[in-house]
Amino acid sequence: MTVLVAYVPTPEGDAAYAAAVDEAARRRERLVLLNTPREGAPVSTALAGEDVVRALTERAAAAGVALEVHQEAHTGDTADAVVRVAGELGASVIVIGLRRRSPVGKLLMGSTAQRILLDADRPVLAVKP
């Protein structure tokens, strides 16, 4: 089986990655890091650079966890991409990071984390930084 972590290079993403490495080690499963920028975006802060990916790979290896990195772009909603990839991989759990948002912010912009929690057909581990 597989632990899937939805990762963006932010404190929330780092917290999710740390929890995912621990979870993969505990379950003795491989870890798949999904870092998916929006297709067609000229610049994406969601895309982890080579140095970040190298550091994440080293952290997984130090914990004895096999890491696979997926950085393909997605169209549409990020939550849909995460849930779809989890299904394709047969992930045993999805790990996501949560950020604090005001109720008005959630109303106006929605919440990717909330969509993943509601739409996923498998356990979701949500962590805060």
Side-chain angles (χ1 to χ4, degrees):
M1 296 290 285
T2 300
V3 173
L4 175 66
V5 60
Y7 179 81
V8 290
T10 63
E12 295 82 7
D14 291 336
Y17 185 76
V21 169
D22 291 345
E23 191 69 15
R26 184 180 70 76
R27 292 173 179 253
R28 296 186 178 147
E29 296 179 357
R30 75 181 173 135
L31 175 60
V32 174
L33 180 139
L34 178 62
N35 177 232
T36 175
R38 186 171 309 281
E39 188 172 289
V43 176
S44 177
T45 58
L47 186 63
E50 287 181 30
D51 292 341
V52 172
V53 172
R54 189 175 309 111
L56 295 173
T57 303
E58 290 170 2
R59 282 174 61 187
V65 173
L67 176 67
E68 185 177 315
V69 178
H70 291 240
Q71 287 189 301
E72 61 271 351
H74 72 277
T75 57
D77 189 56
T78 303
D80 292 336
V82 171
V83 171
R84 177 185 49 78
V85 171
E88 290 172 358
L89 295 172
S92 58
V93 64
I94 301 169
V95 183
I96 60 173
L98 297 177
R99 66 181 172 147
R100 181 159 173 78
R101 300 206 33 203
S102 70
V104 173
K106 289 178 194 171
L107 176 67
L108 295 177
M109 306 224 354
S111 169
T112 299
Q114 182 178 12
R115 291 268 327 280
I116 293 169
L117 287 165
L118 294 173
D119 293 349
D121 61 352
R122 62 203 70 238
V124 178
L125 173 59
V127 298
K128 292 181 180 181

